[in-house]
Amino acid sequence: MKLQKNRPTKYVLFFIGTVAAALLLLLCGACLPQSRIDHNVMQSASRMLAEGCYPNISDGSASSQLDNFTDALMLMESKATTIHDPGTILTNPLYTNGANPVSDLYQYSMDSSIEPSSFYVRYWMGFRSFLRLALVFLNYYQIKRYLALAFFGLFAAVLCSLAKNTGARSAFFFALSVILVKPQVICASMQFSCCFLIAFAAMLLVPWLSRNIRYSGLFFMEVGMITMFLDFYTTPIITFGLPAVYLYLLQAKQGRVQKVKEIFGNLIAWFAGYLLMWLSKLVLTTLLTDQNAIQNGLGSLLMWLGADGFALSNAAYRPDVALKQVLKALCQDRDGMLFFGGLLVVALGLVVINFVRRKLCLRALIRNWPVLLIACMPIIWFVISAEPTTVHYWFQYRSVVLCFWALFGLALLSSKNGEKQKALCS
């Protein structure tokens, strides 16, 4: 009873501590040698200028293009954050009108005396702490080299963890889920890789979490806060969903099926951390600087959700259009549609065959139906945020990795392999 009574206090203390740690990280990042950062930003900007805003690195489709537009903003904000003007930690000065940040970054790298044109106050931009540290030693293209190593290194570690704790088949299906959303493109962009790196790191902690399940709410709250701190709004829902499916699989292997209220409790904890971390940024910036971040942030949120009437009056920003754009990014063209359609037919055929041959257990499928709720989360996210999904479908579609992983997980849970499943299906 005493533990239950103290639980809200524990959440509050962890929340305050995380916000304080976020501010400290940004402050420490601002103290790094500015001259070396300026030099590496200049080198990066000149090469990025030759590539343009949206270079394509694979098959010419929209889902194979990089987002130098946003990566240029990340470099610009990292350069602009300095201890000589501590307010920049919160105000995030911009040196572009938004038309071509790549060109504007080059101009800013050549002339640091340019005055900011606006302030990007509604994001924490916590990536600046780590990006500024990297820029002390490396330029943007060298950073991307090691970013790819970090991405695939964590990915390999997650596969080893899955194989050890839930079996080789779960590791294979997780790998397939990630392969279907083009990891070769994800690892080549600071923006695209952020949420995947957070999700992979969180998955490596899931075996510990499974042994200490009482901390699941705090764990997912912290993951939500870290996501808001670091991410530039790409695929945030995967930082909850990928570890949540792993946790479900691990608990099931141990003979315990998570209840729906547990999954929703963890989701609420994640979303509360994500939302409150954002609101704390708006409040701190409004109180400590001359920028009205609350008005800016809430106004932007209402615009993107269509609550100001803009999106609702524009036929392009509807849930059905957003979902069609996601499907377009996933399949890319007619041949892609045939490929994914063929995969779906084969998958359904295998399900039917295995049911007929009694290798799949209907009782286990029904028992583990809560996994379907996790599989639906990206779709719900796309529907609610129809406007940003429609505009940025070509990278935000990658949240479907969670749909694949959850559905593969449900298939694994419904098979008759393992003593516990045999007992359930007998």
Side-chain angles (χ1 to χ4, degrees):
M1 182 65 72
K2 187 175 180 180
L3 178 64
Q4 293 294 326
K5 186 180 293 185
N6 290 334
R7 183 177 293 177
T9 303
K10 185 163 53 178
Y11 278 83
V12 171
L13 290 176
F14 269 83
F15 176 80
I16 294 173
T18 304
V19 172
L23 289 171
L24 182 60
L25 274 173
L26 288 171
L27 182 63
C28 291
C31 296
L32 293 167
Q34 189 65 36
S35 59
R36 299 191 63 169
I37 293 171
D38 290 344
H39 173 73
N40 281 317
V41 169
M42 185 184 300
Q43 282 193 334
S44 307
S46 60
R47 185 169 171 182
M48 189 181 287
L49 188 65
E51 286 186 341
C53 286
Y54 301 107
N56 197 291
I57 65 170
S58 183
D59 55 15
S61 65
S63 59
S64 293
Q65 69 185 17
L66 300 180
D67 188 6
N68 281 353
F69 185 105
T70 303
D71 282 2
L73 292 178
M74 295 172 74
L75 289 170
M76 186 182 294
E77 294 291 359
S78 297
K79 173 179 167 61
T81 303
T82 170
I83 197 61
H84 299 299
D85 183 4
T88 56
I89 293 170
L90 292 172
T91 58
N92 309 338
L94 274 175
Y95 296 84
T96 177
N97 60 11
N100 190 338
V102 172
S103 176
D104 293 333
L105 173 66
Y106 178 76
Q107 295 298 323
Y108 178 46
S109 70
M110 300 297 291
D111 182 9
S112 297
S113 65
I114 298 174
E115 292 295 319
S117 57
S118 60
F119 296 88
Y120 214 156
V121 294
R122 61 183 178 271
Y123 286 104
W124 271 97
M125 299 194 185
F127 57 79
R128 290 174 292 167
S129 305
F130 305 99
L131 185 52
R132 279 179 63 85
L133 178 60
L135 286 167
V136 171
F137 307 100
L138 307 166
N139 64 43
Y140 167 77
Y141 291 89
Q142 291 170 318
I143 290 170
K144 292 210 294 181
R145 177 198 307 161
Y146 299 108
L147 181 67
L149 286 175
F151 178 91
F152 284 109
L154 278 175
F155 183 41
V158 170
L159 295 180
C160 291
S161 177
L162 284 165
K164 176 182 177 181
N165 295 296
T166 58
R169 292 197 305 163
S170 67
F172 170 79
F173 282 124
F174 180 73
L176 182 59
S177 301
V178 175
I179 288 168
L180 289 173
V181 293
K182 297 188 175 180
Q184 72 275 19
V185 179
I186 299 169
C187 73
S189 169
M190 293 186 293
Q191 183 202 11
F192 296 168
S193 59
C194 180
C195 285
F196 281 87
L197 294 175
I198 295 170
F200 292 166
M203 291 181 76
L204 291 176
L205 295 174
V206 164
W208 171 87
L209 182 62
S210 183
R211 296 190 299 271
N212 300 272
I213 199 66
R214 64 187 182 278
Y215 296 117
S216 60
L218 275 175
F219 175 84
F220 283 106
M221 183 190 80
E222 287 294 321
V223 172
M225 294 182 72
I226 292 168
T227 303
M228 174 53 69
F229 179 63
L230 295 173
D231 184 35
F232 220 149
Y233 191 73
T234 52
T235 53
I237 192 63
I238 71 170
T239 67
F240 167 76
L242 296 187
V245 173
Y246 185 12
L247 180 62
Y248 192 101
L249 289 173
L250 197 50
Q251 293 269 287
K253 188 175 180 64
Q254 295 166 357
R256 179 180 179 274
V257 176
Q258 279 190 301
K259 297 178 181 178
V260 173
K261 66 177 183 180
E262 293 179 76
I263 294 173
F264 271 107
N266 291 336
L267 175 62
I268 290 170
W270 177 89
F271 187 71
Y274 185 78
L275 178 63
L276 292 175
M277 187 67 172
W278 179 63
L279 292 175
S280 69
K281 168 61 170 69
L282 302 185
V283 171
L284 287 170
T285 305
T286 303
L287 291 177
L288 301 177
T289 73
D290 59 355
Q291 297 296 313
N292 190 341
I294 294 176
Q295 182 180 20
N296 181 291
L298 294 180
S300 176
L301 176 66
L302 292 174
M303 183 197 75
W304 281 112
L305 293 180
D308 65 343
F310 173 75
L312 294 179
S313 64
N314 190 329
Y317 303 130
R318 299 195 315 264
D320 61 317
V321 175
L323 294 177
K324 286 178 182 177
Q325 292 291 79
V326 169
L327 185 62
K328 173 184 174 183
L330 186 63
C331 297
Q332 303 170 53
D333 52 27
R334 181 176 174 275
D335 292 333
M337 291 284 283
L338 291 173
F339 172 76
F340 275 97
L343 282 182
L344 181 61
V345 170
V346 170
L348 291 175
L350 289 173
V351 168
V352 172
I353 291 171
N354 282 312
F355 264 123
V356 171
R357 297 175 64 186
R358 305 190 70 179
K359 289 187 175 182
L360 286 178
C361 176
L362 183 60
R363 289 176 62 189
L365 179 65
I366 295 172
R367 185 185 187 200
N368 293 294
W369 73 271
V371 180
L372 286 175
L373 296 177
I374 305 177
C376 291
M377 286 176 186
I379 309 302
I380 297 170
W381 192 277
F382 295 144
V383 168
I384 293 174
S385 59
E387 184 170 342
T389 300
T390 301
V391 175
H392 300 130
Y393 71 94
W394 46 281
F395 61 83
Q396 290 188 3
Y397 87 95
R398 291 192 175 96
S399 292
V400 299
V401 68
L402 176 53
C403 301
F404 297 141
W405 175 223
L407 291 174
F408 285 141
L410 182 61
L412 289 171
L413 290 166
S414 303
S415 69
K416 289 190 177 181
N417 291 329
E419 295 303 318
K420 292 184 176 64
Q421 288 294 69
K422 286 180 180 179
L424 175 67
C425 298
S426 60

